[in-house]
Amino acid sequence: MTTTTVRSDVSRLLSAVPTGLLIGDGWTEAADGGSFEVVDPATGRTLTEVASATVADGIAAVEAAAAALPRWRATAPRHRAEILRRAGELMTERQEDLARLIVVENGKALPDARSEAAYAAEFFRWYAEEAVRADGSLQLAPSGTNRIMVSREPIGVSLLITPWNFPAAMATRKIGPALAAGCTTILKPASDTPLTALAIGALLLEAGVPAGAVNVLPSRRSGELARELLADHRVRKLSFTGSTEVGRVLLGEAARTIVSCSMELGGNAPFLVLADANVDEAVAGAMVAKMRNGGEACTAANRFYVHERVADEFSAKLAARMSALRMGAGLDDEVQLGPLVNAAARDKVDALVTGAIDAGAEALVGGTVPEREGYFYPPTVLARVPADAAILDEEIFGPVAPVVFCDSVSDMVVQANDTEYGLVSYVYTSDLAAGLRVADALESGMVGLNRPLVSDPAAPFGGVKQSGLGREGGHDGLLEFMESKYIAVQW
Ligand code: NAP
Protein backbone atom coordinates (compact mmCIF):
# COMPACT_ATOMS: atom_id res chain seq x y z
CA MET A 1 0.00 0.00 0.00
CA THR A 2 1.31 3.49 -0.80
CA THR A 3 1.40 6.16 1.92
CA THR A 4 -1.47 8.01 0.23
CA THR A 5 -3.66 4.89 0.11
CA VAL A 6 -2.93 4.16 3.77
CA ARG A 7 -3.85 7.74 4.71
CA SER A 8 -7.14 7.59 2.83
CA ASP A 9 -7.93 4.20 4.40
CA VAL A 10 -7.28 5.66 7.86
CA SER A 11 -9.50 8.69 7.09
CA ARG A 12 -12.27 6.39 5.87
CA LEU A 13 -12.03 4.26 9.04
CA LEU A 14 -12.02 7.29 11.33
CA SER A 15 -14.93 8.97 9.57
CA ALA A 16 -17.14 5.94 10.34
CA VAL A 17 -16.52 6.04 14.10
CA PRO A 18 -18.56 8.27 16.44
CA THR A 19 -16.40 10.48 18.66
CA GLY A 20 -19.04 11.46 21.24
CA LEU A 21 -20.26 9.63 24.34
CA LEU A 22 -22.97 7.01 23.97
CA ILE A 23 -25.50 7.74 26.70
CA GLY A 24 -29.03 6.36 26.49
CA ASP A 25 -30.35 6.57 22.95
CA GLY A 26 -27.68 8.67 21.32
CA TRP A 27 -24.34 10.35 20.99
CA THR A 28 -23.50 13.44 22.95
CA GLU A 29 -20.64 15.79 23.78
CA ALA A 30 -19.11 15.73 27.27
CA ALA A 31 -21.00 17.90 29.78
CA ASP A 32 -18.07 20.32 29.95
CA GLY A 33 -17.28 20.06 26.21
CA GLY A 34 -13.95 18.35 27.02
CA SER A 35 -12.18 15.95 24.70
CA PHE A 36 -8.84 14.16 24.38
CA GLU A 37 -6.55 13.08 21.59
CA VAL A 38 -6.17 9.57 20.24
CA VAL A 39 -2.66 8.92 18.98
CA ASP A 40 -1.28 6.54 16.34
CA PRO A 41 1.49 4.60 18.14
CA ALA A 42 3.29 3.96 14.85
CA THR A 43 3.93 7.68 14.33
CA GLY A 44 3.11 9.44 17.58
CA ARG A 45 0.73 11.66 15.61
CA THR A 46 -2.83 12.55 16.63
CA LEU A 47 -5.55 10.64 14.79
CA THR A 48 -8.63 12.36 16.16
CA GLU A 49 -10.22 13.60 19.37
CA VAL A 50 -13.00 11.97 21.36
CA ALA A 51 -15.28 13.36 24.07
CA SER A 52 -13.96 12.90 27.61
CA ALA A 53 -16.76 11.96 30.01
CA THR A 54 -17.19 13.92 33.24
CA VAL A 55 -18.73 12.62 36.44
CA ALA A 56 -22.01 14.28 35.39
CA ASP A 57 -21.91 12.25 32.16
CA GLY A 58 -21.25 9.14 34.21
CA ILE A 59 -24.30 9.79 36.37
CA ALA A 60 -26.38 10.40 33.24
CA ALA A 61 -25.20 7.01 31.94
CA VAL A 62 -26.15 5.33 35.24
CA GLU A 63 -29.59 6.92 34.96
CA ALA A 64 -29.97 5.65 31.40
CA ALA A 65 -28.78 2.15 32.37
CA ALA A 66 -31.02 2.04 35.45
CA ALA A 67 -34.04 3.23 33.43
CA ALA A 68 -33.42 0.56 30.78
CA LEU A 69 -32.88 -2.25 33.29
CA PRO A 70 -36.47 -3.29 34.19
CA ARG A 71 -37.43 -3.76 30.55
CA TRP A 72 -34.20 -5.40 29.47
CA ARG A 73 -34.17 -7.91 32.32
CA ALA A 74 -37.80 -8.77 31.53
CA THR A 75 -37.03 -9.25 27.83
CA ALA A 76 -37.26 -12.88 26.78
CA PRO A 77 -33.83 -14.55 26.85
CA ARG A 78 -34.40 -15.66 23.27
CA HIS A 79 -34.86 -12.04 22.20
CA ARG A 80 -31.69 -10.95 24.02
CA ALA A 81 -29.91 -13.86 22.34
CA GLU A 82 -31.10 -12.78 18.90
CA ILE A 83 -29.76 -9.24 19.40
CA LEU A 84 -26.38 -10.63 20.45
CA ARG A 85 -26.38 -13.01 17.53
CA ARG A 86 -27.04 -10.09 15.19
CA ALA A 87 -24.22 -8.10 16.84
CA GLY A 88 -21.85 -11.03 16.29
CA GLU A 89 -22.90 -11.28 12.63
CA LEU A 90 -22.42 -7.55 12.05
CA MET A 91 -19.01 -7.71 13.68
CA THR A 92 -18.02 -10.66 11.51
CA GLU A 93 -19.21 -8.86 8.36
CA ARG A 94 -17.11 -5.84 9.32
CA GLN A 95 -14.18 -7.78 10.69
CA GLU A 96 -11.63 -6.28 8.33
CA ASP A 97 -12.57 -2.67 9.12
CA LEU A 98 -12.67 -3.39 12.83
CA ALA A 99 -9.22 -4.99 12.60
CA ARG A 100 -7.85 -1.97 10.76
CA LEU A 101 -9.32 0.40 13.32
CA ILE A 102 -7.63 -1.60 16.09
CA VAL A 103 -4.30 -1.34 14.25
CA VAL A 104 -4.66 2.40 13.81
CA GLU A 105 -5.21 3.22 17.48
CA ASN A 106 -3.45 0.31 19.20
CA GLY A 107 -0.53 -0.32 16.84
CA LYS A 108 -0.66 -4.12 16.82
CA ALA A 109 0.14 -5.93 13.59
CA LEU A 110 -2.79 -6.51 11.20
CA PRO A 111 -2.79 -10.34 11.58
CA ASP A 112 -3.06 -9.91 15.36
CA ALA A 113 -5.86 -7.37 14.92
CA ARG A 114 -7.75 -9.72 12.58
CA SER A 115 -7.50 -12.48 15.17
CA GLU A 116 -8.75 -10.11 17.83
CA ALA A 117 -11.72 -8.97 15.74
CA ALA A 118 -12.72 -12.60 15.12
CA TYR A 119 -12.23 -13.48 18.80
CA ALA A 120 -14.30 -10.44 19.84
CA ALA A 121 -17.22 -11.40 17.58
CA GLU A 122 -17.12 -14.93 18.97
CA PHE A 123 -18.01 -13.61 22.45
CA PHE A 124 -21.28 -12.24 21.05
CA ARG A 125 -21.99 -15.57 19.40
CA TRP A 126 -21.12 -17.59 22.49
CA TYR A 127 -23.24 -15.41 24.79
CA ALA A 128 -26.12 -15.41 22.31
CA GLU A 129 -26.05 -19.17 22.89
CA GLU A 130 -25.64 -18.84 26.67
CA ALA A 131 -28.46 -16.27 27.11
CA VAL A 132 -31.01 -19.09 27.01
CA ARG A 133 -29.07 -21.28 29.47
CA ALA A 134 -29.27 -19.35 32.75
CA ASP A 135 -30.34 -22.49 34.55
CA GLY A 136 -31.32 -22.87 38.19
CA SER A 137 -31.92 -25.91 40.40
CA LEU A 138 -34.48 -27.64 42.55
CA GLN A 139 -33.71 -30.11 45.29
CA LEU A 140 -35.31 -31.66 48.33
CA ALA A 141 -33.99 -30.13 51.56
CA PRO A 142 -32.06 -32.66 53.73
CA SER A 143 -34.80 -32.38 56.38
CA GLY A 144 -37.36 -33.55 53.81
CA THR A 145 -39.72 -30.72 54.76
CA ASN A 146 -39.37 -28.46 51.72
CA ARG A 147 -37.73 -27.85 48.38
CA ILE A 148 -34.68 -25.67 47.82
CA MET A 149 -35.37 -23.74 44.63
CA VAL A 150 -32.59 -21.66 43.11
CA SER A 151 -33.09 -19.32 40.19
CA ARG A 152 -30.75 -16.80 38.54
CA GLU A 153 -31.39 -13.09 38.27
CA PRO A 154 -29.43 -10.39 36.45
CA ILE A 155 -27.26 -8.54 38.93
CA GLY A 156 -28.18 -5.08 37.58
CA VAL A 157 -26.38 -2.04 36.22
CA SER A 158 -22.81 -3.07 35.40
CA LEU A 159 -19.73 -0.91 35.08
CA LEU A 160 -17.26 -2.44 32.61
CA ILE A 161 -13.70 -1.06 32.53
CA THR A 162 -11.38 -2.33 29.80
CA PRO A 163 -7.68 -2.07 28.87
CA TRP A 164 -6.07 -0.97 25.61
CA ASN A 165 -4.35 -4.23 24.66
CA PHE A 166 -7.46 -5.99 23.33
CA PRO A 167 -9.79 -3.04 22.80
CA ALA A 168 -12.48 -5.09 21.04
CA ALA A 169 -12.29 -8.48 22.73
CA MET A 170 -12.15 -7.19 26.30
CA ALA A 171 -15.28 -5.11 25.59
CA THR A 172 -17.28 -7.95 24.02
CA ARG A 173 -16.08 -10.43 26.69
CA LYS A 174 -17.94 -8.24 29.20
CA ILE A 175 -20.84 -6.77 27.20
CA GLY A 176 -21.80 -10.19 25.78
CA PRO A 177 -22.44 -11.97 29.10
CA ALA A 178 -23.84 -8.83 30.77
CA LEU A 179 -26.51 -8.36 28.10
CA ALA A 180 -27.17 -12.10 27.92
CA ALA A 181 -27.79 -12.12 31.68
CA GLY A 182 -30.25 -9.21 31.42
CA CYS A 183 -27.96 -6.51 32.81
CA THR A 184 -27.51 -3.02 31.42
CA THR A 185 -24.01 -1.64 31.03
CA ILE A 186 -21.66 1.32 31.10
CA LEU A 187 -18.40 0.66 29.26
CA LYS A 188 -15.34 2.76 30.15
CA PRO A 189 -12.65 1.93 27.57
CA ALA A 190 -8.95 2.68 27.96
CA SER A 191 -7.97 6.20 26.91
CA ASP A 192 -5.34 4.89 24.48
CA THR A 193 -7.97 2.98 22.47
CA PRO A 194 -11.47 4.49 22.76
CA LEU A 195 -12.35 4.30 19.04
CA THR A 196 -12.85 0.53 18.90
CA ALA A 197 -15.24 0.72 21.88
CA LEU A 198 -17.19 3.55 20.27
CA ALA A 199 -17.47 1.54 17.05
CA ILE A 200 -18.76 -1.44 19.06
CA GLY A 201 -21.31 0.81 20.80
CA ALA A 202 -22.64 1.95 17.41
CA LEU A 203 -22.73 -1.64 16.15
CA LEU A 204 -24.76 -2.78 19.18
CA LEU A 205 -27.35 -0.04 18.61
CA GLU A 206 -27.60 -1.18 15.01
CA ALA A 207 -28.05 -4.77 16.17
CA GLY A 208 -31.11 -3.70 18.17
CA VAL A 209 -29.84 -3.13 21.70
CA PRO A 210 -32.40 -0.81 23.32
CA ALA A 211 -31.50 2.69 24.48
CA GLY A 212 -29.64 2.70 27.78
CA ALA A 213 -28.64 -0.99 27.76
CA VAL A 214 -25.17 -0.10 26.49
CA ASN A 215 -23.50 3.23 27.30
CA VAL A 216 -19.92 4.01 26.25
CA LEU A 217 -17.89 6.61 28.11
CA PRO A 218 -14.31 7.31 27.10
CA SER A 219 -12.76 9.55 29.72
CA ARG A 220 -9.42 10.98 30.66
CA ARG A 221 -10.67 11.07 34.25
CA SER A 222 -10.92 7.33 34.83
CA GLY A 223 -10.16 7.43 38.53
CA GLU A 224 -12.67 10.13 39.44
CA LEU A 225 -15.35 8.70 37.16
CA ALA A 226 -15.04 5.14 38.46
CA ARG A 227 -14.99 6.30 42.07
CA GLU A 228 -18.22 8.27 41.68
CA LEU A 229 -19.99 5.54 39.72
CA LEU A 230 -19.04 2.92 42.30
CA ALA A 231 -20.50 5.17 45.01
CA ASP A 232 -23.87 5.17 43.23
CA HIS A 233 -26.04 2.46 44.80
CA ARG A 234 -27.64 1.68 41.42
CA VAL A 235 -24.35 0.25 40.11
CA ARG A 236 -24.25 -3.37 41.32
CA LYS A 237 -21.40 -4.87 39.31
CA LEU A 238 -17.88 -3.93 38.40
CA SER A 239 -16.13 -6.01 35.76
CA PHE A 240 -12.59 -4.77 35.36
CA THR A 241 -9.74 -5.89 33.13
CA GLY A 242 -6.43 -4.15 33.60
CA SER A 243 -3.44 -3.96 35.87
CA THR A 244 -3.32 -5.48 39.34
CA GLU A 245 -2.38 -2.05 40.69
CA VAL A 246 -5.57 -0.38 39.43
CA GLY A 247 -7.65 -3.46 40.30
CA ARG A 248 -6.53 -3.13 43.91
CA VAL A 249 -7.68 0.52 44.02
CA LEU A 250 -11.05 -0.35 42.47
CA LEU A 251 -11.67 -3.22 44.90
CA GLY A 252 -11.20 -0.71 47.73
CA GLU A 253 -13.67 1.68 46.14
CA ALA A 254 -16.20 -1.05 45.41
CA ALA A 255 -16.04 -2.09 49.07
CA ARG A 256 -17.91 1.05 50.15
CA THR A 257 -21.11 0.02 48.39
CA ILE A 258 -20.34 -3.74 48.40
CA VAL A 259 -20.36 -3.92 44.61
CA SER A 260 -19.79 -7.38 43.17
CA CYS A 261 -16.39 -7.43 41.44
CA SER A 262 -14.90 -9.51 38.65
CA MET A 263 -11.24 -8.76 38.20
CA GLU A 264 -9.07 -9.84 35.27
CA LEU A 265 -5.68 -8.50 36.26
CA GLY A 266 -2.02 -8.74 35.38
CA GLY A 267 -0.01 -11.86 34.68
CA ASN A 268 3.56 -13.08 34.77
CA ALA A 269 3.20 -16.29 32.79
CA PRO A 270 5.96 -18.91 33.10
CA PHE A 271 6.71 -21.09 30.07
CA LEU A 272 8.32 -24.40 31.09
CA VAL A 273 10.24 -26.53 28.64
CA LEU A 274 11.02 -29.93 30.11
CA ALA A 275 14.10 -31.89 29.05
CA ASP A 276 12.05 -34.34 26.96
CA ALA A 277 10.15 -31.65 25.04
CA ASN A 278 10.24 -31.50 21.26
CA VAL A 279 12.31 -28.32 21.00
CA ASP A 280 10.93 -27.26 17.62
CA GLU A 281 7.38 -27.54 18.90
CA ALA A 282 8.31 -25.66 22.07
CA VAL A 283 9.89 -22.87 20.00
CA ALA A 284 6.82 -22.68 17.74
CA GLY A 285 4.67 -22.50 20.88
CA ALA A 286 6.91 -19.87 22.43
CA MET A 287 6.51 -17.68 19.34
CA VAL A 288 2.74 -17.68 19.85
CA ALA A 289 2.70 -17.48 23.66
CA LYS A 290 5.24 -14.65 23.58
CA MET A 291 4.47 -12.78 20.38
CA ARG A 292 0.68 -12.83 20.10
CA ASN A 293 -0.20 -9.15 20.20
CA GLY A 294 3.49 -8.24 20.12
CA GLY A 295 3.85 -9.45 23.71
CA GLU A 296 1.21 -6.99 24.93
CA ALA A 297 -1.07 -9.64 26.41
CA CYS A 298 -1.83 -10.59 30.00
CA THR A 299 -1.33 -14.18 28.84
CA ALA A 300 2.05 -13.44 27.23
CA ALA A 301 4.80 -15.85 28.26
CA ASN A 302 6.88 -13.60 30.48
CA ARG A 303 9.56 -16.00 31.73
CA PHE A 304 10.98 -19.09 30.03
CA TYR A 305 12.25 -21.83 32.35
CA VAL A 306 14.07 -24.30 30.15
CA HIS A 307 15.87 -27.46 31.16
CA GLU A 308 19.60 -26.96 30.68
CA ARG A 309 19.81 -30.03 28.43
CA VAL A 310 17.80 -28.19 25.77
CA ALA A 311 18.19 -24.56 26.84
CA ASP A 312 20.96 -23.54 24.41
CA GLU A 313 19.17 -25.13 21.47
CA PHE A 314 15.83 -23.59 22.51
CA SER A 315 17.35 -20.10 22.95
CA ALA A 316 19.20 -20.18 19.64
CA LYS A 317 16.16 -21.41 17.69
CA LEU A 318 13.89 -18.89 19.39
CA ALA A 319 16.35 -16.09 18.60
CA ALA A 320 16.41 -17.17 14.94
CA ARG A 321 12.61 -17.11 14.71
CA MET A 322 12.39 -13.78 16.54
CA SER A 323 14.99 -12.09 14.37
CA ALA A 324 13.07 -13.14 11.23
CA LEU A 325 9.97 -11.20 12.31
CA ARG A 326 9.11 -8.17 10.23
CA MET A 327 8.60 -5.08 12.41
CA GLY A 328 6.73 -2.16 10.92
CA ALA A 329 3.79 0.18 10.97
CA GLY A 330 0.21 -0.69 10.73
CA LEU A 331 -1.96 -1.43 7.75
CA ASP A 332 0.42 -3.74 5.95
CA ASP A 333 -0.19 -7.48 5.57
CA GLU A 334 3.52 -8.23 5.74
CA VAL A 335 4.06 -6.63 9.17
CA GLN A 336 4.26 -9.14 12.03
CA LEU A 337 5.20 -6.79 14.87
CA GLY A 338 3.85 -3.28 15.36
CA PRO A 339 4.89 -0.58 17.82
CA LEU A 340 4.12 -0.71 21.53
CA VAL A 341 1.11 1.30 22.59
CA ASN A 342 2.88 4.40 23.87
CA ALA A 343 6.25 5.84 24.85
CA ALA A 344 5.90 4.82 28.51
CA ALA A 345 5.33 1.18 27.52
CA ARG A 346 8.41 1.19 25.27
CA ASP A 347 10.57 2.85 27.95
CA LYS A 348 9.48 0.30 30.56
CA VAL A 349 10.46 -2.60 28.28
CA ASP A 350 13.78 -0.96 27.55
CA ALA A 351 14.54 -0.44 31.26
CA LEU A 352 13.73 -4.09 32.08
CA VAL A 353 15.96 -5.39 29.28
CA THR A 354 18.83 -3.09 30.24
CA GLY A 355 18.50 -4.22 33.85
CA ALA A 356 18.61 -7.90 32.84
CA ILE A 357 21.69 -7.39 30.67
CA ASP A 358 23.39 -5.48 33.50
CA ALA A 359 22.55 -8.42 35.77
CA GLY A 360 24.37 -10.85 33.43
CA ALA A 361 21.85 -11.90 30.76
CA GLU A 362 23.03 -12.24 27.17
CA ALA A 363 20.99 -10.58 24.38
CA LEU A 364 20.93 -13.10 21.52
CA VAL A 365 18.84 -10.76 19.41
CA GLY A 366 17.37 -7.26 19.93
CA GLY A 367 17.85 -5.39 23.17
CA THR A 368 18.01 -1.76 22.02
CA VAL A 369 15.41 0.84 21.04
CA PRO A 370 15.56 1.45 17.27
CA GLU A 371 16.03 4.94 15.93
CA ARG A 372 12.74 5.59 14.16
CA GLU A 373 9.47 7.40 14.77
CA GLY A 374 6.80 5.64 16.81
CA TYR A 375 7.08 3.46 19.89
CA PHE A 376 8.87 0.44 18.48
CA TYR A 377 10.85 -2.18 20.39
CA PRO A 378 12.53 -5.05 18.50
CA PRO A 379 12.03 -8.79 19.10
CA THR A 380 14.50 -9.67 21.86
CA VAL A 381 15.75 -12.94 23.35
CA LEU A 382 17.79 -12.87 26.55
CA ALA A 383 19.65 -16.06 27.44
CA ARG A 384 20.97 -17.17 30.85
CA VAL A 385 18.90 -14.63 32.73
CA PRO A 386 19.81 -14.73 36.45
CA ALA A 387 16.92 -16.01 38.58
CA ASP A 388 16.82 -12.78 40.61
CA ALA A 389 16.61 -10.39 37.62
CA ALA A 390 13.78 -7.83 37.92
CA ILE A 391 12.53 -8.71 34.43
CA LEU A 392 11.26 -12.01 35.86
CA ASP A 393 9.12 -10.26 38.47
CA GLU A 394 7.30 -7.74 36.31
CA GLU A 395 4.94 -7.93 33.35
CA ILE A 396 7.19 -7.03 30.41
CA PHE A 397 4.31 -6.35 28.01
CA GLY A 398 6.60 -6.32 25.01
CA PRO A 399 8.43 -8.62 22.54
CA VAL A 400 11.08 -9.82 24.96
CA ALA A 401 11.76 -13.44 25.94
CA PRO A 402 14.00 -13.94 29.00
CA VAL A 403 15.28 -17.51 29.23
CA VAL A 404 16.34 -19.01 32.57
CA PHE A 405 18.39 -22.23 32.42
CA CYS A 406 17.13 -24.79 34.98
CA ASP A 407 18.45 -28.15 36.14
CA SER A 408 15.23 -29.87 37.29
CA VAL A 409 11.46 -29.84 36.91
CA SER A 410 11.00 -29.14 40.60
CA ASP A 411 13.26 -26.09 40.31
CA MET A 412 11.18 -24.86 37.35
CA VAL A 413 7.93 -25.26 39.29
CA VAL A 414 9.31 -23.47 42.37
CA GLN A 415 10.51 -20.55 40.26
CA ALA A 416 7.31 -20.47 38.21
CA ASN A 417 5.21 -20.19 41.38
CA ASP A 418 7.46 -17.57 42.97
CA THR A 419 5.26 -14.63 41.98
CA GLU A 420 2.20 -12.84 43.28
CA TYR A 421 0.54 -13.43 39.89
CA GLY A 422 -1.26 -16.59 38.79
CA LEU A 423 -3.02 -16.08 35.48
CA VAL A 424 -1.64 -18.67 33.07
CA SER A 425 1.32 -21.04 32.73
CA TYR A 426 2.61 -23.03 29.77
CA VAL A 427 4.27 -26.46 29.84
CA TYR A 428 5.99 -28.31 26.99
CA THR A 429 6.86 -31.98 27.37
CA SER A 430 6.57 -35.23 25.42
CA ASP A 431 5.26 -37.00 28.52
CA LEU A 432 1.59 -36.13 28.98
CA ALA A 433 1.42 -37.60 32.49
CA ALA A 434 4.45 -35.55 33.58
CA GLY A 435 2.85 -32.50 31.98
CA LEU A 436 -0.39 -33.02 33.89
CA ARG A 437 1.51 -33.43 37.17
CA VAL A 438 3.33 -30.14 36.51
CA ALA A 439 0.04 -28.46 35.51
CA ASP A 440 -1.43 -29.54 38.86
CA ALA A 441 1.53 -28.05 40.72
CA LEU A 442 1.43 -24.69 38.96
CA GLU A 443 -0.37 -21.89 40.79
CA SER A 444 -2.35 -20.38 37.94
CA GLY A 445 -5.97 -20.21 36.84
CA MET A 446 -5.10 -21.59 33.40
CA VAL A 447 -2.44 -23.87 31.93
CA GLY A 448 -1.49 -24.39 28.30
CA LEU A 449 -0.16 -27.95 28.05
CA ASN A 450 1.76 -28.33 24.78
CA ARG A 451 -0.47 -25.46 23.63
CA PRO A 452 0.48 -21.78 23.50
CA LEU A 453 -3.03 -20.30 23.38
CA VAL A 454 -5.65 -20.65 26.12
CA SER A 455 -8.07 -17.85 25.20
CA ASP A 456 -11.40 -19.28 24.08
CA PRO A 457 -14.85 -17.71 24.52
CA ALA A 458 -16.16 -21.12 25.59
CA ALA A 459 -13.60 -21.56 28.39
CA PRO A 460 -13.43 -20.00 31.88
CA PHE A 461 -10.63 -17.46 31.59
CA GLY A 462 -9.15 -16.01 34.77
CA GLY A 463 -6.45 -16.02 37.36
CA VAL A 464 -5.64 -16.95 40.94
CA LYS A 465 -3.57 -15.01 43.50
CA GLN A 466 -3.23 -11.35 42.47
CA SER A 467 -4.18 -12.04 38.86
CA GLY A 468 -7.84 -11.70 39.62
CA LEU A 469 -11.21 -12.76 40.91
CA GLY A 470 -13.85 -14.61 38.91
CA ARG A 471 -13.87 -15.94 35.37
CA GLU A 472 -14.82 -14.58 31.96
CA GLY A 473 -15.97 -16.73 29.07
CA GLY A 474 -17.77 -20.05 29.21
CA HIS A 475 -20.88 -20.50 31.37
CA ASP A 476 -18.97 -19.06 34.35
CA GLY A 477 -18.77 -15.73 32.52
CA LEU A 478 -22.58 -15.51 32.39
CA LEU A 479 -22.92 -16.30 36.09
CA GLU A 480 -20.58 -13.39 36.98
CA PHE A 481 -23.46 -11.11 35.93
CA MET A 482 -26.15 -13.02 37.83
CA GLU A 483 -27.21 -13.50 41.43
CA SER A 484 -28.66 -16.73 42.75
CA LYS A 485 -32.05 -16.40 44.36
CA TYR A 486 -32.98 -19.18 46.76
CA ILE A 487 -36.64 -19.74 47.56
CA ALA A 488 -37.54 -22.26 50.28
CA VAL A 489 -40.73 -23.82 48.96
CA GLN A 490 -43.11 -26.04 50.83
CA TRP A 491 -45.82 -27.93 49.07
P1 NAP B 1 -4.66 -0.18 33.50
O1 NAP B 1 -3.73 0.95 33.52
O2 NAP B 1 -4.96 -0.86 34.78
O3 NAP B 1 -6.00 0.39 32.84
C1 NAP B 1 -7.10 -0.44 32.60
C2 NAP B 1 -8.35 0.42 32.57
O4 NAP B 1 -8.54 1.02 33.85
C3 NAP B 1 -8.31 1.56 31.56
O5 NAP B 1 -9.60 1.75 31.05
C4 NAP B 1 -7.90 2.73 32.44
O6 NAP B 1 -8.32 3.97 31.93
C5 NAP B 1 -8.65 2.42 33.70
N1 NAP B 1 -8.09 3.04 34.90
C6 NAP B 1 -6.83 3.44 35.15
N2 NAP B 1 -6.74 3.94 36.41
C7 NAP B 1 -7.98 3.86 36.94
C8 NAP B 1 -8.54 4.20 38.20
N3 NAP B 1 -7.82 4.74 39.18
N4 NAP B 1 -9.85 3.96 38.40
C9 NAP B 1 -10.61 3.42 37.42
N5 NAP B 1 -10.14 3.07 36.22
C10 NAP B 1 -8.84 3.29 35.98
O7 NAP B 1 -4.22 -1.33 32.50
P2 NAP B 1 -3.78 -1.19 30.99
O8 NAP B 1 -2.41 -0.63 30.97
O9 NAP B 1 -4.84 -0.52 30.20
O10 NAP B 1 -3.78 -2.71 30.52
C11 NAP B 1 -2.72 -3.56 30.73
C12 NAP B 1 -2.97 -4.42 31.96
O11 NAP B 1 -4.18 -5.14 31.77
C13 NAP B 1 -1.89 -5.46 32.14
O12 NAP B 1 -1.57 -5.55 33.50
C14 NAP B 1 -2.57 -6.74 31.65
O13 NAP B 1 -2.03 -7.90 32.20
C15 NAP B 1 -3.96 -6.51 32.08
N6 NAP B 1 -4.86 -7.36 31.31
C16 NAP B 1 -5.43 -8.43 31.93
C17 NAP B 1 -6.25 -9.27 31.22
C18 NAP B 1 -6.88 -10.45 31.89
O14 NAP B 1 -7.82 -10.98 31.32
N7 NAP B 1 -6.42 -10.88 33.05
C19 NAP B 1 -6.52 -9.03 29.87
C20 NAP B 1 -5.92 -7.93 29.26
C21 NAP B 1 -5.10 -7.09 30.01
P3 NAP B 1 -7.27 5.00 31.27
O15 NAP B 1 -6.77 4.33 30.06
O16 NAP B 1 -8.10 6.18 31.01
O17 NAP B 1 -6.20 5.23 32.30
Side-chain angles (χ1 to χ4, degrees):
M1 256 186 168
T2 64
T3 314
T4 320
T5 330
V6 169
R7 281 213 190 103
S8 74
D9 197 23
V10 171
S11 309
R12 180 186 62 81
L13 291 166
L14 294 179
S15 67
V17 181
T19 53
L21 311 173
L22 175 56
I23 300 178
D25 61 359
W27 301 91
T28 165
E29 293 302 307
D32 65 355
S35 62
F36 65 92
E37 294 179 348
V38 186
V39 170
D40 176 355
T43 61
R45 286 195 280 275
T46 301
L47 291 162
T48 185
E49 294 202 6
V50 300
S52 178
T54 63
V55 169
D57 295 313
I59 299 302
V62 174
E63 265 153 26
L69 182 63
R71 227 169 128 200
W72 182 246
R73 63 182 283 156
T75 302
R78 174 64 71 207
H79 183 68
R80 297 202 294 263
E82 285 304 300
I83 290 176
L84 283 169
R85 188 181 54 76
R86 178 81 190 119
E89 284 168 359
L90 283 175
M91 198 176 261
T92 303
E93 279 165 25
R94 297 176 196 165
Q95 187 175 315
E96 185 62 18
D97 274 358
L98 185 65
R100 286 172 175 268
L101 184 63
I102 293 170
V103 171
V104 165
E105 66 171 348
N106 168 283
K108 67 177 70 177
L110 193 49
D112 279 326
R114 287 187 179 125
S115 303
E116 182 187 349
Y119 177 48
E122 197 59 26
F123 280 107
F124 283 154
R125 178 152 68 153
W126 175 262
Y127 283 106
E129 291 159 348
E130 281 298 293
V132 294
R133 299 201 169 87
D135 52 353
S137 63
L138 183 69
Q139 72 185 80
L140 186 63
S143 63
T145 54
N146 62 288
R147 258 67 171 186
I148 294 171
M149 183 173 129
V150 180
S151 60
R152 312 272 191 205
E153 294 184 343
I155 195 163
V157 173
S158 302
L159 174 60
L160 317 175
I161 303 182
T162 51
W164 49 263
N165 66 336
F166 288 98
M170 296 303 97
T172 61
R173 193 165 83 172
K174 296 181 188 306
I175 295 172
L179 292 181
C183 297
T184 55
T185 61
I186 300 160
L187 172 66
K188 209 302 289 172
S191 299
D192 281 320
T193 54
L195 300 174
T196 305
L198 292 166
I200 290 173
L203 182 145
L204 282 161
L205 288 182
E206 200 182 328
V209 167
V214 174
N215 302 273
V216 185
L217 298 184
S219 176
R220 261 293 177 210
R221 292 174 251 199
S222 326
E224 191 191 352
L225 185 65
R227 197 163 46 248
E228 293 304 321
L229 295 196
L230 290 171
D232 189 311
H233 67 276
R234 291 169 294 184
V235 174
R236 296 315 310 146
K237 177 80 196 178
L238 168 64
S239 178
F240 172 75
T241 298
S243 60
T244 297
E245 196 187 351
V246 173
R248 209 174 273 126
V249 171
L250 288 169
L251 280 169
E253 288 168 356
R256 293 169 306 164
T257 32
I258 319 291
V259 170
S260 161
C261 290
S262 299
M263 294 271 149
E264 296 290 346
L265 307 177
N268 182 7
F271 188 108
L272 279 56
V273 183
L274 276 49
D276 64 0
N278 176 316
V279 174
D280 291 331
E281 283 174 15
V283 169
M287 288 301 293
V288 177
K290 176 74 255 180
M291 295 307 292
R292 174 175 176 239
N293 233 33
E296 292 179 307
C298 54
T299 49
N302 208 53
R303 308 168 282 154
F304 292 82
Y305 295 110
V306 185
H307 197 280
E308 58 194 12
R309 283 218 296 273
V310 291
D312 278 319
E313 182 189 354
F314 175 87
S315 307
K317 286 183 167 168
L318 184 61
R321 290 281 302 269
M322 291 281 265
S323 60
L325 289 177
R326 179 154 171 208
M327 186 167 78
L331 299 173
D332 177 343
D333 282 301
E334 303 295 313
V335 167
Q336 293 163 299
L337 176 64
L340 297 179
V341 72
N342 55 35
R346 181 204 49 206
D347 295 346
K348 178 187 169 190
V349 173
D350 188 41
L352 287 172
V353 171
T354 306
I357 292 171
D358 289 348
E362 181 192 350
L364 300 183
V365 58
T368 46
V369 176
E371 297 218 354
R372 58 180 292 173
E373 68 169 6
Y375 313 125
F376 289 89
Y377 198 86
T380 297
V381 177
L382 302 173
R384 297 185 187 278
V385 176
D388 58 354
I391 199 166
L392 305 175
D393 296 330
E394 286 199 39
E395 262 190 311
I396 304 169
F397 246 59
V400 178
V403 184
V404 181
F405 290 33
C406 300
D407 60 11
S408 69
V409 175
S410 56
D411 177 36
M412 288 180 194
V413 171
V414 168
Q415 294 199 60
N417 288 341
D418 185 18
T419 169
E420 68 265 30
Y421 296 107
L423 188 61
V424 59
S425 311
Y426 303 94
V427 185
Y428 273 76
T429 172
S430 299
D431 179 345
L432 189 59
L436 287 167
R437 276 194 301 276
V438 172
D440 277 349
L442 289 168
E443 295 167 356
S444 59
M446 302 174 286
V447 178
L449 180 48
N450 292 330
R451 178 162 172 86
L453 195 63
V454 293
S455 305
D456 187 326
F461 184 106
V464 300
K465 293 157 74 175
Q466 295 185 37
S467 283
L469 299 170
R471 295 293 179 267
E472 287 191 322
H475 190 62
D476 300 37
L478 181 73
L479 299 184
E480 297 278 327
F481 288 94
M482 306 198 92
E483 297 271 31
S484 295
K485 176 167 277 174
Y486 152 51
I487 303 175
V489 201
Q490 201 153 342
W491 70 70

